[in-house]
Amino acid sequence: MMFAAMLFAVRWRQLRIKTGPEYFQLRFHSGRKFVRVYTSLSSVLIGIIPWIGAGLLGIHMVMAPIFHFSNISTTLLLVLPLLIVYVWIGGFAGVLLTDLFQSCVILLANLALVVSVLYCFGGPSGLADAVAADVQVLEKPGRGR
């Protein structure tokens, strides 16, 4: 979706379009209702449902060892009501704020990972030497790739 946005953003700006439905209204005069329904259904079936499923499975994988849950049903019975209340109260602004915080956490975690890896290998040159040594081991005769 990010790649598609980069491709179409300039053209949409030229056409003064801000949303997908606006584009479909301009592009597909006769079949625009079909295109809107198709786009909505494909977004839900291909994008949202697997995303939510993967997120709930991830929550279970984190919560199960901590709280000693034996099955995913227990996790879902605890998590889903909390998520529904959160989304109901927070609305779109709450989701945006949460995404902002999650993005900051992800960026900081990646930065910490980079720093810890560089520290562990003794800086960029030590990391480069370790990678070069591993490449030489892989390139020895008798070791296939």
Side-chain angles (χ1 to χ4, degrees), residues 30-50:
S30 60
R32 66 178 179 236
K33 189 171 188 176
F34 170 76
V35 173
R36 285 183 182 182
V37 170
Y38 173 77
T39 304
S40 298
L41 288 176
S42 65
S43 296
V44 167
L45 296 176
I46 296 172
I48 294 174
I49 291 175

Side-chain angles (χ1 to χ4, degrees), residues 77-99:
L77 287 173
L78 291 173
V79 170
L80 286 178
L82 293 173
L83 289 175
I84 291 169
V85 169
Y86 165 75
V87 171
W88 186 272
I89 292 172
F92 187 65
V95 172
L96 289 177
L97 188 62
T98 301
D99 285 347

